[in-house]
């Protein structure tokens, strides 16, 4: 009697099967990993954005923090202004980024077939992360625009409360709310996320191939999560560099001086070299830390729920 060979399915090729429940749990992990971390580093984000739009006043991370604290203080009106749209926007983005990545990774693997999927794993990572981020940025864009407007506007010119700030964005001509920043967000976030997932996956494998050479399961969960954090931090440095020019454009587009101008016109006026350099050191520090923490939180969450 001829045995019928089951067709290979990426969803069921893992130690823990990628069921719909698994995907749903990944959404929760993405909410925690992105929402919490971006909110935690909100002061760095405020300084970074202002270094991009007002480099004469905010000349560096430490001097910028001093200026921010002396003029606007601590809390939701100072260092943490824009924290609520940050939390909401990046929680939504994280759900799509991590959740859809898992879905698209299996989807493209099944399209390619077992042999090609294993031979071209890196391409699968890149395609899955780019597809996930496309939708994640649609979810992020409205709150990102509100966040940047709150964080970069002169004190007293824009409401700090979320509802009032959204109403301001909706009723003020030239803001382009809610999706004016979507194209530069895609320009920033899609390369960022492709680098984030590709280099994370690659660096993890390099660690286990050349540094921690015993079988992965032989190491404690704490050691595995330390490797996760280190891999995420390294990936974050690459992410910061490749996405910085588009990030600067997003910040500049919310500056009153550039209201109504196209992104090409803004880039030419600000200077192409400045797009690559202004605030880059702060962004590397911020994104390296963010990415390391995000992967650590995401994998810790998966460990706690038995998803490994």
């Amino acid at each position: 009697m001829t045995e019928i060979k089951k067709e290979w399915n990426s969803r069921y090729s893992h130690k823990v099967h990628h069921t719909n429940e698994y995907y749903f749990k990944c959404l929760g992990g993405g909410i925690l990993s992105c929402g919490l971390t971006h909110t935690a580093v909100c002061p760095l984000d405020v300084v970074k954005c202002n270094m991009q739009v007002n480099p004469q006043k905010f000349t560096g991370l430490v001097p910028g923090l001093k200026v921010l604290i002396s003029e606007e203080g601590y809390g939701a009106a100072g260092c943490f202004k824009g924290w609520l749209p940050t939390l909401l926007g990046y929680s939504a983005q994280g759900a799509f980024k991590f959740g859809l990545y898992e879905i698209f990774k299996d989807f493209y693997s099944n399209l390619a077939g077992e042999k090609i999927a294993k031979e071209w794993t890196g391409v699968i990572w890149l395609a899955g992360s780019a597809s996930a981020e496309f939708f994640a940025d649609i979810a992020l864009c409205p709150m990102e625009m509100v966040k940047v407007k709150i964080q970069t506007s002169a004190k007293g010119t824009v409401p700090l409360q979320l509802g009032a700030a959204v109403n301001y964005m909706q009723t003020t001509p030239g803001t382009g709310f809610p999706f004016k920043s979507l194209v530069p967000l895609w320009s920033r976030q899609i390369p960022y996320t492709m680098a984030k997932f590709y280099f994370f996956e690659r660096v993890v494998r390099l660690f286990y191939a050349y540094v921690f050479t015993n079988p992965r399961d032989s190491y404690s969960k704490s050691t595995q999560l330390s490797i996760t954090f280190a891999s995420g931090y390294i990936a974050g440095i690459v992410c910061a560099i490749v996405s910085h020019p588009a990030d600067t454009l997003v910040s500049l587009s919310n500056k009153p001086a550039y209201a109504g101008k196209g992104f090409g016109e803004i880039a030419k006026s600000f200077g192409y070299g400045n797009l690559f350099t202004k605030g880059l050191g702060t962004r590397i520090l911020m994104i390296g830390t963010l990415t390391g923490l995000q992967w650590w939180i995401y994998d810790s969450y998966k460990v706690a729920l038995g998803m490994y």
Side-chain angles (χ1 to χ4, degrees):
M1 192 171 178
T2 305
E3 183 180 347
I4 299 175
K5 186 178 180 181
K6 285 187 176 181
E7 184 179 355
W8 180 81
N9 189 324
S10 175
R11 295 181 63 178
Y12 305 108
S13 66
H14 309 278
K15 182 179 177 182
V16 176
H17 290 176
H18 291 186
T19 62
N20 290 339
E21 181 183 2
Y22 176 91
Y23 292 143
F24 184 77
K25 288 177 180 178
C26 289
L27 296 176
I31 290 171
L32 292 175
S33 66
C34 291
L36 295 180
T37 51
H38 276 275
T39 305
V41 299
C42 190
L44 289 179
D45 198 21
V46 175
V47 174
K48 182 267 299 178
C49 288
N50 281 283
M51 286 173 66
Q52 291 169 328
V53 302
N54 193 0
Q56 293 78 23
K57 184 176 181 179
F58 291 83
T59 58
L61 174 58
V62 175
L65 279 171
K66 289 180 178 178
V67 169
L68 180 64
I69 293 169
S70 65
E71 293 188 358
E72 303 185 42
Y74 300 94
C79 286
F80 279 90
K81 62 182 180 179
W83 73 269
L84 186 52
T86 297
L87 176 63
L88 296 177
Y90 282 93
S91 292
Q93 187 214 36
F96 284 94
K97 183 196 298 277
F98 282 92
L100 290 183
Y101 173 66
E102 303 284 0
I103 292 172
F104 278 119
K105 193 166 57 169
D106 286 331
F107 174 74
Y108 290 131
S109 293
N110 285 335
L111 279 183
E114 182 178 9
K115 183 176 184 295
I116 295 175
K118 290 180 178 179
E119 291 176 352
W120 295 88
T121 306
V123 176
I124 300 294
W125 298 337
L126 291 170
S129 57
S131 300
E133 191 60 37
F134 178 88
F135 294 100
D137 290 341
I138 296 172
L140 167 65
C141 189
M143 288 297 100
E144 174 73 359
M145 291 186 68
V146 174
K147 173 192 83 73
V148 173
K149 177 62 75 175
I150 289 174
Q151 291 178 341
T152 60
S153 298
K155 186 176 181 180
T157 59
V158 174
L160 298 180
Q161 295 76 23
L162 178 61
V166 169
N167 183 64
Y168 173 89
M169 295 289 285
Q170 289 175 326
T171 57
T172 302
T175 63
F177 184 80
F179 293 113
K180 178 187 176 183
S181 294
L182 183 56
V183 171
L185 261 183
W186 279 332
S187 300
R188 179 188 83 184
Q189 290 295 136
I190 290 178
Y192 164 90
T193 300
M194 291 171 74
K196 173 179 181 171
F197 282 87
Y198 178 86
F199 284 100
F200 171 77
E201 301 269 22
R202 187 64 69 198
V203 171
V204 166
R205 282 159 177 74
L206 289 173
F207 268 126
Y208 283 112
Y210 297 105
V211 182
F212 299 88
T213 55
N214 294 327
R216 183 181 299 201
D217 290 342
S218 68
Y219 296 103
S220 66
K221 293 300 182 186
S222 61
T223 299
Q224 292 182 46
L225 290 173
S226 297
I227 295 169
T228 290
F229 178 80
S231 301
Y233 201 100
I234 293 169
I237 293 172
V238 180
C239 294
I241 294 170
V242 301
S243 64
H244 189 68
D247 181 68
T248 304
L249 277 177
V250 171
S251 296
L252 290 170
S253 68
N254 285 279
K255 192 175 181 181
Y258 295 113
K261 293 186 178 181
F263 291 105
E265 191 177 355
I266 293 173
K268 185 177 180 180
S269 175
F270 189 67
Y272 295 107
N274 290 332
L275 288 178
F276 284 88
T277 58
K278 293 298 181 183
L280 179 58
T282 302
R283 182 164 168 78
I284 287 174
L285 175 63
M286 174 181 152
I287 297 300
T289 306
L290 267 178
T291 308
L293 285 173
Q294 284 173 1
W295 279 113
W296 184 85
I297 290 171
Y298 185 66
D299 276 5
S300 296
Y301 171 90
K302 291 174 78 173
V303 167
L305 294 185
M307 297 168 68
Y308 269 123

